[in-house]
């Protein structure tokens, strides 16, 4: 389980660039960060336009999506519509990975998906955290992001949710509808809410 960040040191954070805060997993207030708001709103508009384009011209929509995602391998296949990818530059997708419809990725944390993965429809990857016990900090919009890492040769059933800071190893199967709250080791099958390892998988030998 990922440890809760210490409460924000507001004076110290005021002297720090917002992108450095995000990269370091520090607290920030999205509502007071116009640079972040611009990224998210621009991404939302481009995703909506690409989804609309895909209705008539799927190939052109895919070309425009690849331009939006500079760290996706050339042969990645992503089905439309896409729900959201708030920070396209923070998403890395490995070769030959397939992602089904209605992918949703929030927020500014790095998200890495390995090669040869199959990601089912309606999957949601969440990197932001809010304060679990201080409603004043939540009301003021303080949050921080932790990265999500998904290894190679993973298969997610439909409607899998992955929470902030989770690392999933190679050759992992996640059952449909699971909520992944903790790290999952390589060569395992996990399912449930919260997801737990239910089976060992044979290792892949190239």
């Amino acid at each position: 389980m990922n440890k809760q960040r210490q409460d924000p040191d507001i004076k110290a954070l005021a002297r720090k660039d917002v992108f450095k805060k995000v990269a370091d997993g520090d607290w920030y207030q999205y509502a007071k960060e116009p640079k972040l708001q611009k990224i998210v709103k621009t991404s939302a508009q481009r995703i909506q336009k690409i989804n609309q384009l895909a209705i008539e011209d799927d190939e052109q929509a895919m070309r425009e999506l690849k331009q939006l995602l500079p760290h996706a391998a050339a042969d990645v296949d992503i089905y439309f519509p896409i729900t959201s990818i708030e920070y396209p530059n923070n998403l890395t997708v490995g070769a030959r990975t397939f992602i089904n419809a209605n992918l949703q990725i929030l927020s500014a944390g790095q998200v890495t998906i390995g090669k040869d993965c199959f990601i089912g429809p309606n999957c949601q990857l969440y990197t932001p955290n809010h304060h679990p016990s201080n409603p004043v900090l939540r009301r003021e919009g303080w949050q921080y992001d932790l990265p999500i890492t998904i290894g190679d040769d993973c298969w997610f059933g439909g409607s899998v949710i992955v929470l902030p800071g989770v690392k999933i190893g190679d050759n992992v199967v996640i059952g449909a509808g699971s909520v992944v709250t903790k790290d999952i080791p390589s060569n395992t099958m996990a399912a449930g809410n919260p997801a737990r390892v239910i089976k060992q998988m044979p290792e892949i030998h190239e």
Side-chain angles (χ1 to χ4, degrees):
M1 196 73 168
N2 296 300
K3 293 182 178 179
Q4 171 66 35
R5 285 283 186 270
Q6 293 182 346
D7 289 358
D9 182 340
I10 295 173
K11 290 184 179 179
L13 290 171
R15 300 190 293 270
K16 194 170 184 179
D17 176 76
V18 65
F19 294 107
K20 181 64 173 170
K21 294 178 197 175
V22 171
D24 291 346
D26 280 336
W27 294 94
Y28 64 93
Q29 290 172 288
Y30 173 80
K32 296 183 179 181
E33 298 293 351
K35 293 179 181 178
L36 298 185
Q37 294 173 33
K38 183 178 180 180
I39 292 171
V40 171
K41 292 176 181 178
T42 299
S43 171
Q45 291 173 336
R46 291 188 66 182
I47 290 290
Q48 290 175 23
K49 290 179 180 178
I50 291 170
N51 285 335
Q52 188 66 31
L53 176 61
I55 296 173
E56 301 293 338
D57 191 341
D58 185 82
E59 292 184 359
Q60 181 60 29
M62 182 59 67
R63 285 192 288 269
E64 295 197 16
L65 179 63
K66 295 293 179 62
Q67 293 176 2
L68 181 65
L69 303 177
H71 307 300
D75 56 359
V76 165
D77 192 12
I78 301 177
Y79 274 18
F80 302 104
I82 296 167
T83 300
S84 65
I85 303 173
E86 288 196 329
Y87 293 80
N89 285 331
N90 292 356
L91 173 62
T92 299
V93 187
R96 299 175 300 279
T97 282
F98 168 74
I99 301 174
N100 215 318
N102 297 314
L103 172 69
Q104 183 175 37
I105 301 181
L106 309 175
S107 163
Q110 294 288 332
V111 174
T112 302
I113 302 173
K115 63 180 184 292
D116 297 301
C117 290
F118 288 82
I119 307 298
N122 307 308
C123 283
Q124 302 163 60
L125 310 178
Y126 298 146
T127 70
N129 292 268
H130 298 277
H131 204 288
S133 60
N134 188 326
V136 174
L137 291 176
R138 290 200 301 270
R139 191 184 309 143
E140 293 176 350
W142 287 98
Q143 71 176 73
Y144 63 92
D145 289 86
L146 294 175
I148 290 173
T149 302
I150 299 165
D152 300 333
D153 294 291
C154 291
W155 174 27
F156 288 11
S159 301
V160 168
I161 297 173
V162 182
L163 296 190
V166 165
K167 294 182 180 179
I168 296 172
D170 298 330
N171 186 31
V172 172
V173 176
I174 305 291
S178 297
V179 180
V180 187
T181 64
K182 298 181 180 180
D183 293 354
I184 304 294
S186 296
N187 305 306
T188 59
M189 178 183 294
N193 181 8
R196 60 182 181 85
V197 174
I198 59 175
K199 183 179 179 181
Q200 295 296 128
M201 304 286 286
E203 295 185 19
I204 296 175
H205 298 286
E206 299 292 343

